[in-house]
Amino acid sequence: MEEYAREPCPWRIVDDCGGAFTMGAIGGGIFQAIKGFRNSPVGVNHRLRGSLTAVKTRAPQLGGSFAVWGGLFSMIDCSMVRMRGKEDPWNSITSGALTGAILAARNGPVAMVGSAAMGGILLALIEGAGILLTRFASTQFPNGPQFSDDPSQLQPSPFGDYRQYQ
Amino acid sequence: MFCASLVRARQCSEKLQISPGRWLLAPSGRALSGTWPCPRWGHQPPRREPTSRPAVLLQGAKQSLWTQAGGLRAGKSGDSSKHVSVPRDQKEETLLSAAQKVKEAGRDFTYFIVVLVGISVTGGLFYVIFKELFSSSSPSKIYGDALEKCRSHPEVIAVFGEPIKGYGEATRRGRRQLVSHIEYIKDGLKHMRLKFYIEGSEPGKRGTVHVEVKENPDRGRFEVRYIFVDVDTFPRRTIIIEDNR
């Protein structure tokens, strides 16, 4: 992968928010188009118009709720990276659970717990898929770039503690 | 109206018998159909027979949308309609021809396969993530331990500055959670090499940490062989944190 000169973190929030909105709008658009088509009165004209209306009313709504989820998730994720000083899968699982809890906060504590569990499980699944994908991608190239069997030459000699400058 | 609710209840009970696969469609249908799909439905003649239409799959989805509403209605209108619907349904079942039975069984089997695949994929993902998070020989655990050692090393603190953070390889989406690692077997013992990056409060300083662990044959756990940090920016040097070779 290319190396980024700058930190991904604060910018990632905007990224995720927009990505989630796009995803929700496109997915919701397809779904609502089919559903509106089917739910309209008989006749192609009616059906097309009904499908268009459904898409216009519902798809931005779904995109918006996706965007709220993505943005809040990313914000919590970034704060956790900042606080823990470490990036690992725990961050995203915890922030998924916290996002679920916060967004269900107005429905009472029971709903919060359920929603938090759902969020955590969902993000755990996504992380698992990510791990699997990386593993699969790395097995495509069995022994990676010049994998040498002996410890690399930057390694100090086993005896003595001479510091090596390069 | 009673007739309508009866028909709905019948469809609902048909639905219950068909298969669990269709229920996958039901929640989304309920969540996204804000209005009742069929308020004027009672005036229509009950002409719908499940197997007489060509578009079976589409109809299944539609049926699930409708019967969801119908089920709720039937629940409101009381138990009597349900009681009426059950024997009629059983009678219909006996009248099914052999071809229809085969068709039903085939559909059931397909849904069963779909559900099974879904469950196994989910289980596999859970297995992977739990192994990654909780097993002591997983890359992320080794990465966490090595990062702790780096943080407490005085020379690393002196070079990079106090709050030291670590991260793995960056993906396209700005996630840097996964460290790159490679596993190999030498002399019958499992080895693993990891590489991750650290940064501190000093601006522009970045280091690459190389870790190698080796399996201990007695306890079956990984033990650190070496940890060292390469400072990537200009005054290049190597900081050795641990060397157990």
Side-chain angles (χ1 to χ4, degrees), chain B residues 107-123:
Chain B
R107 203 190 299 159
D108 280 2
F109 186 68
T110 316
Y111 285 130
F112 178 70
I113 293 289
V114 168
V115 168
L116 213 64
V117 167
I119 287 175
S120 56
V121 165
T122 315

Side-chain angles (χ1 to χ4, degrees), chain B residues 92-191:
Chain B
E92 244 173 36
E93 188 112 327
T94 56
L95 289 178
L96 283 177
S97 72
Q100 277 171 326
K101 271 182 190 167
V102 168
K103 214 160 141 193
E104 284 284 315
R107 203 190 299 159
D108 280 2
F109 186 68
T110 316
Y111 285 130
F112 178 70
I113 293 289
V114 168
V115 168
L116 213 64
V117 167
I119 287 175
S120 56
V121 165
T122 315
L125 289 180
F126 269 120
Y127 171 72
V128 167
I129 188 73
F130 272 98
K131 204 174 138 215
E132 181 78 17
L133 290 178
F134 295 114
S135 151
S136 68
S137 59
S138 75
S140 71
K141 203 79 171 183
I142 296 167
Y143 154 61
D145 294 346
L147 184 60
E148 279 310 312
K149 279 176 185 157
C150 289
R151 271 183 189 148
S152 54
H153 197 269
E155 212 173 332
V156 174
I157 292 174
V159 171
F160 291 100
E162 183 54 56
I164 288 173
K165 61 184 174 182
Y167 53 90
E169 301 293 331
T171 63
R172 208 162 35 82
R173 289 178 50 237
R175 298 277 185 284
R176 304 191 294 190
Q177 294 166 346
L178 301 175
V179 294
S180 72
H181 64 280
I182 184 163
E183 285 179 72
Y184 63 96
I185 294 176
K186 196 165 85 180
D187 306 331
L189 293 176
K190 274 192 265 182
H191 290 62

Side-chain angles (χ1 to χ4, degrees), chain A residues 18-90:
Chain A
F21 179 82
T22 318
M23 212 158 64
I26 292 175
I30 293 170
F31 185 83
Q32 291 296 332
I34 295 172
K35 194 167 155 275
F37 192 84
R38 198 123 27 73
N39 262 348
S40 308
V42 186
V44 178
N45 242 341
H46 282 144
R47 285 184 182 271
L48 282 182
R49 202 173 303 147
S51 140
L52 190 65
T53 315
V55 170
K56 274 197 300 191
T57 47
R58 293 288 165 73
Q61 231 169 317
L62 194 69
S65 49
F66 265 61
V68 168
W69 225 96
L72 193 57
F73 166 78
S74 210
M75 268 185 238
I76 297 175
D77 199 11
C78 277
S79 337
M80 291 197 60
V81 166
R82 178 80 190 167
M83 280 191 306
R84 294 179 64 213
K86 187 179 167 189
E87 300 194 20
D88 64 355
W90 279 116

Side-chain angles (χ1 to χ4, degrees), chain B residues 7-16 41 48 63 67:
Chain B
V7 172
R8 282 187 193 122
R10 202 187 82 197
Q11 290 213 337
C12 189
S13 57
E14 277 174 12
K15 175 69 193 334
L16 278 175
W41 202 55
R48 304 176 63 242
Q63 212 176 21
T67 49

Side-chain angles (χ1 to χ4, degrees), chain A residues 1-4 6-9 12 15-16 31-32 34-35 38-39 41 47 58 62 73-74 77 81-82 84-93 121 123-132 134-135 138 142-144 147-152 154-158 161-166, chain B residues 28-29 32-35 37 40 58 61-62 65-66 121-122 124-126 128-129 131-134 139-140 143-145 147-148 151 155 164-179 181-182 184 186 193 197 199 206 210 212 225-226 228 230 236-238 240 242-243 245:
Chain A
M1 285 290 163
E2 64 268 56
E3 290 180 349
Y4 285 120
R6 68 178 189 198
E7 286 290 295
C9 223
R12 212 178 71 191
D15 247 29
D16 278 4
F31 185 83
Q32 291 296 332
I34 295 172
K35 194 167 155 275
R38 198 123 27 73
N39 262 348
R47 285 184 182 271
R58 293 288 165 73
L62 194 69
F73 166 78
S74 210
D77 199 11
V81 166
R82 178 80 190 167
R84 294 179 64 213
K86 187 179 167 189
E87 300 194 20
D88 64 355
W90 279 116
N91 278 345
S92 46
I93 294 174
I121 288 172
L123 263 297
L125 283 182
I126 292 174
E127 283 301 314
I131 291 169
L132 267 188
T134 20
R135 197 170 294 172
S138 66
N143 34 2
F147 170 59
S148 56
D149 229 353
D150 49 340
S152 61
L154 269 175
Q155 229 359 60
S157 56
D161 201 6
Y162 300 114
R163 189 154 299 135
Q164 292 185 341
Y165 294 95
Q166 217 181 14
Chain B
S28 57
L32 292 162
S33 71
T35 59
R40 63 188 183 287
L58 290 182
K62 191 193 282 182
L65 286 181
W66 284 4
V121 165
T122 315
L125 289 180
F126 269 120
V128 167
I129 188 73
K131 204 174 138 215
E132 181 78 17
L133 290 178
F134 295 114
S140 71
Y143 154 61
D145 294 346
L147 184 60
E148 279 310 312
R151 271 183 189 148
E155 212 173 332
I164 288 173
K165 61 184 174 182
Y167 53 90
E169 301 293 331
T171 63
R172 208 162 35 82
R173 289 178 50 237
R175 298 277 185 284
R176 304 191 294 190
Q177 294 166 346
L178 301 175
V179 294
H181 64 280
I182 184 163
Y184 63 96
K186 196 165 85 180
R193 274 185 200 177
Y197 308 101
E199 267 176 37
R206 198 180 91 149
H210 298 267
E212 180 167 314
R225 252 186 108 216
Y226 60 76
F228 66 94
D230 275 341
R236 286 177 187 270
R237 52 185 289 202
T238 304
I240 301 143
E242 216 169 288
D243 193 356
R245 290 177 303 153

